[in-house]
Amino acid sequence: MREQPEIMQTSALPTVQDVLRRGAEFLCGVGVESARFDAELLLCHVLGWSREKLWLNQKESLEAARRELFEQVLRRRARREPVAYITGIREFWSLDFLVSPVVLVPRPETELLVEIALRLVESVDVADSKLRILDLGTGSGAIAVSLARESENVEVWATDISPGALEVAEANAVRHGMIERIRFCEGDLFEPVTEFEDAFDMVVSNPPYVKREEMKDLPPDVRDWEPRLALDGGPDGLDFYRRMVEEGHAFLREGGSMLLEIAADMGNEVSELFGKVGRYSQVDIYQDYAGRNRVAVAHKRS
Ligand SMILES: C[S@@+](CC[C@H](N)C(=O)[O-])C[C@H]1O[C@@H](n2cnc3c(N)ncnc32)[C@H](O)[C@@H]1O
């Protein structure tokens, strides 16, 4: 790995364009895949600029103090720290979410789960009452906050076993004006909502689903930085699905839906889990825009 990016080694006052190019080259040289994009995000972060402003001000020169700050964040990225942990922000569902190393960085794939949940919300006639949604393992609150923001007809309960994650999720609910619409509860899966039998119209979750022996093969950005608690799905990756499918029907009203994000190779296994419990209608597996299985949906039957 080249230790010294060339950004600081210049006598002339470099422009945004120069600094960006050298930053991208540095990240590329140490093997960061999305080098150019990451360099842009990091420079925007250091300058407090939007990407549009970065593009419109390519010829502006950058003084040493800012170049040094940029170099510091480039070095963090070279150690594979995710950009979102460096900037403290990640966009999800067109909203800016606060993130820190206690939460999984919300992924664009998870937006499909939000999209399907909203379609279901729209298809249900709620009359005077609101739809109750339970988000298990809320992490940064990305799913819970997006659902609440998007539909006035929902009340959301969001649980997580990690107190640190819940703090971040609550901060995001405040940030997006949703703190009155979401109840945050600390505990193991359904444990914080045991008094809500037959109460929820929808249970949604993006649970930890990496197979334990595959944890070591994850990209270093994920393996070395994101919380193990958010990733490890047990020996076959299905620990959380087993529990959610077996325990979850008790908390759903009749006809209520369970929506679970799944790994691409888990469609059959998760469908079988629903089938084995025998309390759900047929399972639908939805694919993401890359054509990979991504979300399993089943409805509680009588
Ligand atoms: C894959 S992350 C998903 C985070 C967020 N929902 C998202 O989609 O970005 C899984 C979350 O489940 C939480 N978790 C792990 N074990 C749990 C348990 N037994 N009960 C409740 N939450 C748990 C983790 O702390 C983590 O926040």
Side-chain angles (χ1 to χ4, degrees):
M1 170 173 131
R2 265 191 302 154
E3 261 309 302
Q4 185 69 24
E6 289 165 1
I7 303 163
M8 307 311 147
Q9 303 171 344
T10 176
S11 47
L13 201 53
T15 62
V16 165
Q17 192 174 36
D18 300 330
V19 166
L20 193 55
R21 180 175 43 76
R22 291 176 203 163
E25 281 168 9
F26 169 67
L27 291 182
C28 189
V30 296
V32 171
E33 273 180 22
S34 47
R36 172 77 198 191
F37 182 59
D38 290 1
E40 280 179 21
L41 292 179
L42 291 172
L43 189 53
C44 285
H45 169 65
V46 162
L47 298 176
W49 289 3
S50 65
R51 287 186 75 209
E52 290 72 25
K53 186 163 180 190
L54 193 76
W55 276 107
L56 292 172
N57 292 276
Q58 293 276 302
K59 300 289 176 207
E60 196 169 306
S61 48
L62 280 190
E63 74 276 18
R66 289 185 157 188
R67 298 201 313 270
E68 267 161 43
L69 277 178
F70 186 43
E71 179 166 344
Q72 282 169 21
V73 295
L74 286 172
R75 290 193 180 289
R76 287 172 67 181
R77 183 66 191 121
R79 290 193 294 272
R80 296 301 190 277
E81 184 171 351
V83 171
Y85 291 159
I86 300 172
T87 62
I89 294 280
R90 174 64 174 236
E91 188 184 310
F92 179 88
W93 201 257
S94 301
L95 299 169
D96 277 344
F97 281 86
L98 303 169
V99 291
S100 81
V102 292
V103 297
L104 186 94
V105 176
R107 307 293 204 266
E109 300 88 274
T110 304
E111 292 181 341
L112 181 64
L113 185 140
V114 173
E115 204 180 305
I116 297 168
L118 287 171
R119 259 187 260 153
L120 280 169
V121 166
E122 278 161 24
S123 71
V124 177
D125 181 13
V126 281
D128 295 335
S129 63
K130 290 189 186 281
L131 246 79
R132 290 176 167 183
I133 300 182
L134 172 62
D135 174 24
L136 295 171
T138 196
S140 63
I143 298 172
V145 171
S146 303
L147 289 175
R149 273 284 294 226
E150 208 63 43
S151 173
E152 299 227 321
N153 287 336
V154 303
E155 283 180 288
V156 185
W157 277 251
T159 77
D160 206 292
I161 204 164
S162 155
L166 282 171
E167 269 179 38
V168 174
E170 286 185 56
N172 279 316
V174 171
R175 186 180 175 89
H176 295 296
M178 293 295 113
I179 195 68
E180 305 295 335
R181 307 258 317 277
I182 307 173
R183 293 175 214 190
F184 292 97
C185 331
E186 185 185 327
D188 180 17
L189 289 190
F190 297 97
E191 182 256 324
V193 293
T194 40
E195 75 271 30
F196 289 95
E197 287 209 359
D198 300 314
F200 291 100
D201 298 281
M202 212 180 279
V203 171
V204 298
S205 184
N206 171 22
Y209 56 67
V210 180
K211 297 181 182 74
R212 194 159 293 151
E213 87 268 13
E214 291 178 5
M215 291 284 293
K216 61 180 181 340
D217 306 320
L218 289 169
D221 316 45
V222 180
R223 184 194 61 215
D224 301 340
W225 292 94
E226 298 202 73
R228 194 179 173 93
L229 193 58
L231 299 167
D232 185 349
D236 61 359
L238 295 168
D239 278 7
F240 287 89
Y241 299 100
R242 252 179 229 109
R243 287 188 55 200
M244 288 190 295
V245 171
E246 279 167 18
E247 298 169 28
H249 57 84
F251 299 93
L252 281 171
R253 65 157 174 82
E254 242 171 66
S257 316
M258 187 174 288
L259 284 73
L260 305 178
E261 178 166 324
I262 56 170
D265 61 352
M266 284 178 173
N268 288 341
E269 288 158 310
V270 172
S271 299
E272 275 168 27
L273 290 177
F274 276 115
K276 222 157 67 187
V277 170
R279 300 297 307 271
Y280 302 89
S281 63
Q282 104 189 35
V283 185
D284 293 314
I285 303 289
Y286 291 81
Q287 296 182 332
D288 61 22
Y289 299 107
R292 286 181 298 245
N293 291 340
R294 185 56 65 192
V295 178
V297 180
H299 310 279
K300 177 174 169 177
R301 64 176 188 217
S302 45

